[in-house]
Amino acid sequence: MNQSPDIQSMTNSAVSTRTSRILKELAKAPFSAKLGLLIIVVYVFAAVFAPWLAPYGESEIVGKKYVLANDTFLLGTDNLGRDMLSRIIYGARNTVGIALITTIYAFLLGGITGIFAAVIGGWTDQLLSRTVDILMAIPALIFAMLLLSIFGTSVPSLILIIGLLDATRVFRLCRAVSLNVVVMDFVEAAKLRGEKLVWITIREVLPSISAPLAAEFGIRFCFVFLTISALSFLGLGIQPPTADWGSMVRDTADLITFEDYTPLIPAAAIAILTIGVNFVVDWFLQKTSGLKDEF
Amino acid sequence: MNSDHNELLLEVKGLSVEGFSEDKWHQIVNGVDFCLNRGEILGLIGESGAGKSTIGIAAMGFAKPGCRINGGSIQFDGLELTTATAEEKRRLRGARIAYVAQSAAASFNPAHKLIDQFSETVIQHGLGSRDQAYADAKELYSKIRMPNPDTIGFRYPHQVSGGQLQRAMTAMALACRPDLIIFDEPTTALDVTTQIEVLSTIKDIVEQFNTAAIYITHDLAVVAQMADKIKVLRYGESVEESETRSMLSDPQKDYTKSLWAVRSFRKTEQNVDASSLPLLKVQNVTAIYPGTSKEVLTDIEFEIRPNETVAVVGESGSGKSTLARVITGLLPPRQGQILFEDQSLPSDYRSRSPGQLQKIQMIYQMADTAINPHHKIRDIVGRPLTFYLGLEGQAKQKRLRKLMEMIEMDPDQYLDRLPGELSGGQKQRICIARALAADPSFIICDEVTSALDQLVAEGILRLLDRLQQEFNLAYMFITHDLATVNAIADRVVVMLQGKIVDQGPKNEVFQPPYHEYTELLLSSVPEMDPDWMDRVIAERLAKGGLKSADN
Amino acid sequence: MNNILRMLAQRISLGVLTLFIVSIIIFLAVSMLPGDAAQAILGQAATPDTIEILRKQLGLDLPAHTRYLTWLSSIVQGDFGTSIGNGREISEVIGVRFFNTIFLAAFAACISVPLALVLGILAALYRNSYYDRTVNALTLTSISTPEFFVAYILILYVSVKTGWFPSLANVHADTGFFERLEKTFLPAVTLTLVSVAYMMRMTRAAIINLLSSSYIEMASLKGMKRLRIITHHALPNAWAPIINVIVLNLAYLIVGVVVVEVVFVYPGLGQLLVDAVQRRDMPVVQACCLIFAATYVSLNLIADILSILTNPRLLHPK
């Protein structure tokens, strides 16, 4: 189209004001939120550059079993003689990566069905909602264990099963927040204009629910991440020799009775990331719904 | 009563209140003075944002959560409330200063019976026993003509209708025979026929017990009935104050004059050709909501001609908004049909053609929820241009600018704003522009001015009138407000409980001989005459009792 | 009252229906397994003929719905079948295990419920104070922490380094009550630390929501004392949300025990389930899942019923 130069520059300045607004908000953010962001950045860095950062290979046996921390093995070695530090760094890739993929999958599945259930309503909504009710009647961890015992504990089945179970929670949330928007007059106006359902969903509903969805993504990631870690810890999640924090706690658990901190390191790796994400989400939630809480 | 009408009860000087929002403190009330003698009623009037409720509640030494009193003095019967201890203020509240809230339904605790909430104040302030309070409550209920005064107190709030609940709250405020009662818009949420009863209750009681009162409202005619003197507020500051009659007849300030003048607006007479073919014909429509069995509309039949404004008027539950849903196709009727330009419209909007949808547009009550807060004005108004008329690029931008000029808003300034950056009236103008963009011949206006301040509402009515002249539009104007009907209607349809009880040209419907319900409605609308209410109540009592949908 | 009875009947029948469907899901899920119990019992070396004979004996040749009904009716009579792993009657083991799990969850609930309610109410009353902010950060931290992390920290500091409490919760049928309390102390504290945060945050939100209602403001404008506002005006309307918080938390505890039981080697239902899943002992998996799900559904049902029974609007219909 014939976009005039000043419209062009206006969009540019709009982008730059948005960036500067975000930066300004960041500067004003509480300490906990800044800490959370820093944690996330560090983890992402470790995950992306794992092969360059790790002193040894992921499942390479480089020394004796249970070597205490020293100059060669900064965090010691595990029950098979693999370097703990390298495995922790690779764990960022595996554990976080798998949790992230699972969350995205859960979001696509639960989010799309949830929003459409709300927009379409009627029988479609009833059918989907009742199915989700039933799936949610069984506690997630128990259901996951049942399904894993049937389909086996491979990474793909882990992703599919946890993703499906968490999709039910995403569905509930998306449906609820979309329902609040769907009853708005501007959606009715769009319907009466003759707009297609897909247009209504994308143009009218999505912009109004993006903030709660973003927060839910963070919260959902924490749940998925903790569930996968718990399952791995129980020996039902990510399987050896893949470096994974939950399994690493399990592998080195016996050391705790010898006053050795080793099993706490991967456990702390899990906890710190979840704390970081939760701090950021909490700040975000207060920013987007702050007024409601204030008065 | 032995108290002296000239004894000073409350003196407020230089009152300032600030509120916290968006990380900053904002001044809500700025240096307001007034005083009140025993038995005197002060009306506080102003539009939204005038700070009238904040002042009312500050007179109790109280500030809403997120607000604080940051200046001035409040002397109540010798006690300085701004410096009084929390305990001193607590002893005053309920016992010597009582409060009546706008929504009785929300302000009564759902877990306790009405009479227990009445006696709680008496017992907790140590002013009487439970039995005494019970007896007093029954007597008061009977005095304000509540039905079954001996038993109604033993009901829970949700078991009582809205008007009765508001009266019960007035009775509760009187429980300790306070010196001062603050009425915060006590009738705003009520229907007009219920409002008059609550108003007369309040007036009776305040006179009988010689209680001083601060009456807060946005409705001039209401305050004219209630107050001895009126204070006009704007933006948290005092505009002027004087005795009621002189304030009504001879306001000094321009702002007050403009407020007073609002009610005089009348639309331009339309040359509606009575023989012309109707644009819209509603035939024999009966409707129920899915999953229920009660008819919300029964045998509705009326017509709208081109270039004509038909006002559909009725109280809550009369089915007037449901009628709009049936016409737009959101609620397919169980029986009957809608004819538009002599062609039968499919009953479900999903089966209507874009051309049919385009010709009938709708404007909503709440402009806030009628436009998507995440879209720019350009996209909101531009969408129908693209969707119906296929306009793009230069042609679309040109048309957009034209539309903005039609609604008297500067295109350069507003097109790229988000709705959140506009005032309530401006948002409603955007809704009008969006409806116009579709190039319709018929617009349904659903209570479009109810959520707006009077001056703003008048502007919207004038705009709609002008647009009707320019584009030969027909309006169906749904409203509960007879003043609006008077201002804008050519013809009137009166609805009651899902049925049309009266219809015809405005001059016939609003002139004697009246239909019985129309007369009740008309006679219940407060007038600016301070003697109006006493007269109406006297007339009705003479005719054999009050009636309303509520009793 | 009729209205309430109807609602209760509705909820209860819905709960029973849910349980029924859940049992179908658990049954069907297992029958989707490649191979079946006969194969599993006899192992890879078995000939097709012997498997066929065993299948007949076990009734595996019957159609799915017949097998389901047989399975369900024997469960209703308390017969969960036999374990493939050790051939023992599942009902023998499962009773003790279930009791142990309930004991641990109840122990944890006794500490965490009162603690969470008090902390939550205080945080709501002193909203946005330093106390509130600190508690908020602490609870966020505790929500974010995996159970095993808390458990191992406790083991390291309270058990291994100081020897105050045992790190193994190896109780038997003849362990006395107080010894049992001592042995399950660390698991119970772990569960408390992890669950108290959820409950506290929910309590805080519920109370804040309540305190912002008009009738609470009205009560204070009527000159009521703060204590009376809380006990007389807020509390009668707070039962439903508080009960909800407590029951949801109990449901969470029942499931949360799985990891804790494994860490402390506590002979509960959770550990039984984990072992069974690892060994693919499907009858045991089925039995455990069914019991967990039934407990969970029942708890949610109880929450529903109690909140109906404490709702003033429903108690005094028009």
Side-chain angles (χ1 to χ4, degrees), chain B residues 207-485:
Chain B
E207 274 171 12
Q208 268 187 43
F209 296 100
N210 194 29
T211 315
I214 295 177
Y215 196 98
I216 298 160
T217 180
H218 66 281
D219 189 335
L220 280 167
V222 165
V223 83
Q225 310 309 314
M226 310 303 296
D228 298 315
K229 57 183 182 184
I230 296 177
K231 183 176 200 65
V232 180
L233 296 161
R234 192 185 198 190
Y235 306 137
E237 288 178 25
S238 174
V239 177
E240 61 178 314
E241 179 187 329
S242 77
E243 191 269 327
T244 301
R245 278 170 206 274
S246 65
M247 180 69 104
L248 290 174
S249 56
D250 183 25
Q252 299 298 311
K253 296 283 166 33
D254 288 344
Y255 175 68
T256 318
K257 284 179 191 160
S258 67
L259 274 183
W260 270 219
V262 164
R263 296 182 159 239
S264 59
F265 170 70
R266 289 290 176 276
K267 73 170 288 194
T268 333
E269 286 291 325
Q270 290 297 302
N271 307 317
V272 180
D273 184 358
S275 62
S276 68
L277 275 179
L279 179 69
L280 179 93
K281 227 171 160 174
V282 177
Q283 284 184 328
N284 189 25
V285 160
T286 298
I288 58 169
Y289 275 107
T292 61
S293 56
K294 194 173 164 283
E295 282 183 4
V296 281
L297 291 176
T298 311
D299 268 339
I300 301 295
E301 192 139 0
F302 70 99
E303 301 171 352
I304 298 175
R305 291 187 186 75
N307 212 14
E308 178 184 52
T309 303
V310 172
V312 176
V313 61
E315 300 186 285
S316 50
S318 64
K320 53 191 192 304
S321 289
T322 310
L323 182 57
R325 296 182 72 79
V326 170
I327 294 175
T328 51
L330 285 165
L331 179 70
R334 201 173 57 165
Q335 257 177 43
Q337 61 169 348
I338 317 281
L339 294 179
F340 190 75
E341 289 172 334
D342 244 9
Q343 288 192 327
S344 175
L345 277 182
S347 61
D348 190 321
Y349 74 92
R350 279 167 284 206
S351 324
R352 294 183 184 173
S353 70
Q356 287 168 327
L357 292 169
Q358 179 189 357
K359 286 294 164 198
I360 304 180
Q361 289 294 312
M362 175 125 176
I363 306 172
Y364 294 84
Q365 172 174 2
M366 305 299 290
D368 272 327
T369 59
I371 47 183
N372 194 327
H374 299 276
H375 293 176
K376 284 182 182 168
I377 305 305
R378 188 185 293 281
D379 299 324
I380 293 169
V381 182
R383 179 63 189 169
L385 294 176
T386 313
F387 187 80
Y388 290 126
L389 311 173
L391 292 183
E392 289 289 356
Q394 286 294 334
K396 179 177 171 184
Q397 299 309 324
K398 218 173 128 193
R399 180 77 191 140
L400 268 174
R401 299 183 67 86
K402 183 87 188 108
L403 280 166
M404 291 301 281
E405 280 157 19
M406 279 181 212
I407 56 164
E408 295 151 17
M409 283 171 76
D410 179 7
D412 295 317
Q413 201 181 342
Y414 292 108
L415 270 177
D416 286 302
R417 291 209 192 172
L418 289 170
E421 302 165 71
L422 303 183
S423 71
Q426 288 174 330
K427 278 182 234 171
Q428 195 58 290
R429 281 169 192 263
I430 296 303
C431 291
I432 295 173
R434 179 175 62 183
L436 279 183
D439 196 15
S441 51
F442 174 54
I443 300 181
I444 300 174
C445 304
D446 189 357
E447 300 268 14
V448 291
T449 55
S450 308
L452 301 173
D453 284 323
Q454 291 185 12
L455 282 175
V456 182
E458 197 210 28
I460 296 286
L461 292 184
R462 284 182 195 278
L463 174 67
L464 286 170
D465 180 36
R466 211 196 68 222
L467 294 171
Q468 182 168 49
Q469 312 285 335
E470 277 177 45
F471 302 100
N472 292 335
L473 295 166
Y475 294 137
M476 177 171 121
F477 215 94
I478 295 168
T479 182
H480 70 280
D481 180 22
L482 285 129
T484 310
V485 179

Side-chain angles (χ1 to χ4, degrees), chain A residues 208-232:
Chain A
S208 304
I209 62 171
S210 51
L213 284 197
E216 173 70 7
F217 189 86
I219 295 170
R220 201 40 52 202
F221 171 79
C222 291
F223 270 103
V224 167
F225 184 58
L226 287 178
T227 310
I228 291 181
S229 300
L231 286 170
S232 299

Side-chain angles (χ1 to χ4, degrees), chain B residues 57 60 62 64 90 93-94 99 106-112 117 120-121 124-125 156 158-159 169 172, chain C residues 213-218 220-226 228 232-234 236-237 312-314 316-318:
Chain B
I57 224 164
M60 306 179 78
F62 191 77
K64 296 228 177 217
R90 186 190 67 73
R93 287 180 196 147
Y99 179 77
S107 299
F108 271 116
N109 191 324
H112 302 293
Q117 303 194 43
E120 179 183 29
T121 333
Q124 292 299 313
H125 285 288
Y156 286 85
H158 62 277
Q159 299 171 321
M169 174 148 282
M172 183 165 85
Chain C
S213 4
S214 297
Y215 55 82
I216 298 295
E217 185 184 294
M218 190 67 203
S220 94
L221 288 175
K222 274 162 79 181
M224 296 300 116
K225 292 189 178 125
R226 202 177 166 85
R228 185 173 169 88
H232 204 73
H233 289 274
N237 295 291
R313 280 173 223 266
L314 292 174
H316 314 288
K318 288 200 177 184

